[in-house]
Amino acid sequence: MFYEEIFKSLNKRHIDYVVVGGVALVLHGIVRLTADLDLMLSLEEKNIARFVDVMNEFGYKPRIPVKAEELLDPKKRDYWLKEKNMKVFSFYHPHEAISLIDIFIYEPVDYNELKKHSVKMKIGNFFVPVTSIDDLIRLKKISGRKQDIEDIKVLKEIKKYEKKQK
């Protein structure tokens, strides 16, 4: 998987995260083209600090002209959300154009609830926490873009199929 080394490092550093967005769809079995990795993190300062360290080690840079460490400041995140309508903080890799990692700077749904409902999925020889289908639907409804509406339809079909299998 494209982000396998990132996942390994997040797990090794005990970073509290859940995979959401397009990669979560793919891990749930939906064939969909997506290049970016969307994550929700516990927004505790120590957790974000460890995450920023991982981004720095892998050579990722903030997409906006700020230092990555500014992500640790809850007042700064609140400002970005309220004044700039920024919902995610994006990291890009200068040598890998399609490598983009988006971190939610707020909780569109309660993070602890999302984490509790998450599903551990095996990738290679380790596990990754992936948002549940129900929570993925909730997140997609909140986002409400055209692609999200289409994704919701497919996610509901998967839920019907899984119910039949039980």
Side-chain angles (χ1 to χ4, degrees):
M1 169 164 256
F2 189 69
Y3 291 105
E4 187 172 341
E5 293 304 315
I6 296 289
F7 290 137
K8 283 181 184 176
S9 191
L10 295 177
N11 290 349
K12 182 179 178 184
R13 297 283 183 85
H14 305 287
I15 295 169
D16 191 2
Y17 74 99
V18 177
V19 178
V20 298
V23 172
L25 285 167
V26 170
L27 291 171
H28 277 293
I30 297 172
V31 178
R32 183 173 183 270
L33 181 61
T34 186
D36 66 329
L37 173 62
D38 299 307
L39 300 174
M40 279 189 69
L41 301 176
S42 164
L43 294 176
E44 294 177 9
E45 187 176 340
K46 288 180 183 178
N47 194 58
I48 297 171
R50 288 191 308 266
F51 178 81
V52 168
D53 286 345
V54 169
M55 292 295 94
N56 288 335
E57 285 173 19
F58 278 91
Y60 281 82
K61 306 287 181 204
R63 198 166 173 184
I64 59 174
V66 299
K67 292 180 181 176
E69 290 71 19
E70 290 184 51
L71 185 58
L72 279 73
D73 184 350
K75 289 179 184 174
K76 194 68 96 161
R77 292 192 311 267
D78 193 51
Y79 169 77
W80 291 332
L81 180 64
K82 290 178 179 168
E83 301 297 324
K84 303 292 184 184
N85 198 30
M86 183 174 126
K87 296 184 168 114
V88 297
F89 190 99
S90 298
F91 289 89
Y92 76 98
H93 197 285
H95 303 296
E96 299 169 13
I98 64 167
S99 192
L100 184 68
I101 299 175
D102 291 335
I103 307 306
F104 278 84
I105 62 168
Y106 76 114
E107 293 183 1
V109 298
D110 181 71
Y111 178 78
N112 291 323
E113 192 178 314
L114 185 85
K115 181 73 175 191
K116 184 171 79 174
H117 299 148
S118 68
V119 180
K120 297 281 187 192
M121 295 196 173
K122 191 169 186 176
I123 296 178
N125 61 353
F126 63 96
F127 290 89
V128 174
V130 179
T131 188
S132 69
I133 289 177
D134 286 335
D135 284 337
L136 198 47
I137 289 171
R138 286 175 56 201
L139 289 167
K140 294 284 183 182
K141 282 181 180 175
I142 291 167
S143 184
R145 299 168 302 191
K146 186 178 179 183
Q147 181 62 54
D148 295 314
I149 304 304
E150 294 303 312
D151 291 340
I152 289 169
K153 291 176 188 174
V154 178
L155 287 165
K156 286 181 176 179
E157 287 300 314
I158 286 177
K159 280 188 65 159
K160 282 183 197 174
Y161 175 79
E162 288 178 350
K163 233 179 196 179
K164 287 179 185 179
Q165 298 302 312
K166 289 182 179 180

